[in-house]
Amino acid sequence: MTSYDTVGIDDLPIRDELRGKSPYGAPQLDVPVQLNTNENPYPLPEPLVRRIAERVAEAARGLNRYPDRDAIELRTELARYLTRTGKHPVALRNVWAANGSNEVLQQLLQTFGGPGRTAMGFEPSYSMHALIARGTGTGWISGPRNDDFTIDVEAAERAIAEHRPDVVFITSPNNPTGTAVEAETVLALHEAAQAAKPSLVVIDEAYVEFSHRDSLLPLIEGRPNLVVSRTMSKAFGAAGLRLGYLAAHPAVVDAVQLVRLPYHLSAVTQATALAALEHTDTLLGYVEQLKAERDRLVSELRAIGYEVTESDANFVQFGHFDGAEGSHAAWQKILDRGVLVRDNGVPGWLRVTAGTPEENDAFLDAVRALKKEQSS
């Protein structure tokens, strides 16, 4: 009999493309200041907590039954939110929701990607795009960026024409760099993708509420192969809820339902999300506070002497350290001072989430001490 201690993942009959890979995840360490996972640092306000309890209690009375399979009420309210904030009218039939934006992206890749098909993203970007592609059997192609982390449009157009991907990801604001993408860039890449295949183009707007710019949502008009993906984890301060959604042509919404699991959104999830949407104005008020703190971090980091990437998100990428070893060493020294930031895999750079003013002060004290140590 084989011992449990002698069997590893690669000893199992897993798919070849998964061998030697590591699961996605950021360190979860017990330190005083945690600024590494782009969470909203503000707890939900008490009136919302009470409303969630009311909504969930109501849903609990019917937990012997399956939830609304199509999440009609929730999708209606999400459409109303997008119409109000995205400067473009969106209806129920344009919206789909799932367990976090990652499941939304997974359903899109299950529908439009898969074995024998490919997806392209412009890296560095959200690493889950490549991981979800791999998990769905979709080939992954890394597209180019400029040295300032913007998308090299001409190089991207050439890459799309050469590789003819079935799905193209555009992340705006981009994670981990914070850079936003111009509408003209999206339109150019969408046109290139339609000429090459045509392909589905997914705009990942997980952090758009923190941006100085308007949402790219209006671009879906007249473009059935263009999708906007969103989440309630960031701006709504509901990372623990796991609710993501998309806006697209109704045909896309119909298509992803071919792969969705039965009753995939629980009644409790739907009830909690609906309660949060009732308190949109309060939650977006916290977003304004975080935008101000984000801008303060950018200003202070530059004053200390660090390079900072322009950010339209609730986080800031800063450096420049001496390659991957230098950035990891800096990450450790900041951690030693009780502050956890993200070593985001971009050599020479680290990423910090905008926290409360007190958390940001602790971070700035840590990086001032680091800069002083490096300069001595």
Side-chain angles (χ1 to χ4, degrees):
M1 181 177 295
T2 303
S3 168
Y4 283 110
D5 295 334
T6 62
V7 176
I9 291 176
D10 289 341
D11 296 310
L12 301 174
I14 65 173
R15 289 160 36 199
D16 289 341
E17 62 267 30
L18 299 180
R19 293 188 183 279
K21 303 300 182 182
S22 299
Y24 176 87
Q28 293 182 304
L29 306 177
D30 185 14
V31 296
V33 179
Q34 300 181 27
L35 300 175
N36 69 322
T37 53
N38 299 342
E39 296 165 320
N40 188 317
Y42 294 105
L44 297 181
E46 283 303 313
L48 173 53
V49 172
R50 290 193 294 270
R51 183 59 179 141
I52 289 172
E54 293 170 357
R55 282 267 195 181
V56 170
E58 182 180 345
R61 296 186 180 94
L63 287 182
N64 59 310
R65 303 292 185 184
Y66 286 115
D68 176 4
R69 180 179 58 202
D70 298 322
I72 297 298
E73 184 181 4
L74 174 58
R75 288 166 55 207
T76 298
E77 291 305 316
L78 287 168
R80 183 174 288 118
Y81 168 73
L82 287 171
T83 299
R84 173 188 164 191
T85 61
K87 299 184 177 180
H88 182 72
V90 175
L92 164 66
R93 63 187 191 140
N94 299 111
V95 176
W96 183 244
N99 293 284
S101 61
N102 288 328
E103 187 177 49
V104 170
L105 301 177
Q106 181 184 60
Q107 290 177 345
L108 288 171
L109 283 168
Q110 287 175 317
T111 308
F112 297 95
R117 295 190 170 204
T118 58
M120 175 180 287
F122 304 96
E123 296 179 310
S125 190
Y126 183 38
S127 59
M128 278 304 298
H129 293 161
L131 289 174
I132 296 173
R134 184 186 305 126
T136 58
T138 308
W140 179 255
I141 302 165
S142 180
R145 283 188 181 268
N146 294 311
D147 290 342
D148 64 355
F149 301 108
T150 58
I151 294 176
D152 184 330
V153 178
E154 292 184 359
E157 289 174 328
R158 289 194 297 270
I160 290 171
E162 175 186 355
H163 297 286
R164 303 178 70 239
D166 297 274
V167 180
V168 176
F169 287 103
I170 302 172
T171 312
S172 183
N174 187 45
N175 178 16
T177 64
T179 45
V181 180
E182 300 285 351
E184 292 76 14
T185 296
V186 173
L187 292 175
L189 299 189
H190 176 268
E191 183 176 344
Q194 304 321 301
K197 183 66 88 172
S199 309
L200 191 77
V201 177
V202 182
I203 307 171
D204 189 335
E205 283 195 335
Y207 299 94
V208 72
E209 285 94 343
F210 300 98
S211 180
H212 298 292
R213 307 163 191 246
D214 291 335
S215 168
L216 297 167
L217 179 67
L219 299 185
I220 68 172
E221 183 66 31
R223 298 180 178 88
N225 288 342
L226 190 64
V227 177
V228 171
S229 172
R230 293 282 197 92
T231 181
M232 293 185 75
S233 293
K234 312 303 180 181
F236 279 82
L241 170 62
R242 311 309 302 134
L243 196 290
Y245 55 104
L246 64 76
H249 189 280
V252 173
V253 175
D254 291 340
V256 295
Q257 293 183 59
L258 297 173
V259 300
R260 62 100 183 266
L261 294 175
Y263 310 104
H264 69 296
L265 273 181
S266 77
V268 172
T269 296
Q270 293 183 47
T272 304
L274 283 164
L277 286 163
E278 292 177 14
H279 289 253
T280 295
D281 290 342
T282 299
L283 296 173
L284 292 183
Y286 292 145
V287 168
E288 291 304 311
Q289 295 179 45
L290 287 171
K291 287 167 68 174
E293 282 298 303
R294 182 261 328 272
D295 292 342
R296 180 168 78 96
L297 286 175
V298 170
S299 177
E300 293 281 354
L301 282 165
R302 287 175 174 163
I304 294 168
Y306 290 100
E307 295 180 45
V308 180
T309 307
E310 294 292 339
S311 178
D312 272 72
N314 69 330
F315 55 83
V316 177
Q317 180 178 255
F318 68 101
H320 189 267
F321 305 100
D322 186 14
E325 290 185 3
S327 55
H328 186 73
W331 174 86
Q332 184 63 58
K333 289 183 180 297
I334 295 171
L335 179 61
D336 291 343
R337 293 179 172 89
V339 180
L340 178 61
V341 298
R342 187 69 176 267
D343 186 352
N344 55 18
V346 182
W349 297 87
L350 296 174
R351 189 193 72 194
V352 59
T353 306
T356 65
E358 295 77 17
E359 290 172 333
N360 295 334
D361 286 343
F363 162 73
L364 290 169
D365 287 343
V367 292
R368 286 190 189 97
L370 173 61
K371 177 63 75 173
K372 183 176 181 179
E373 179 182 323
Q374 292 174 329
S375 301
S376 61

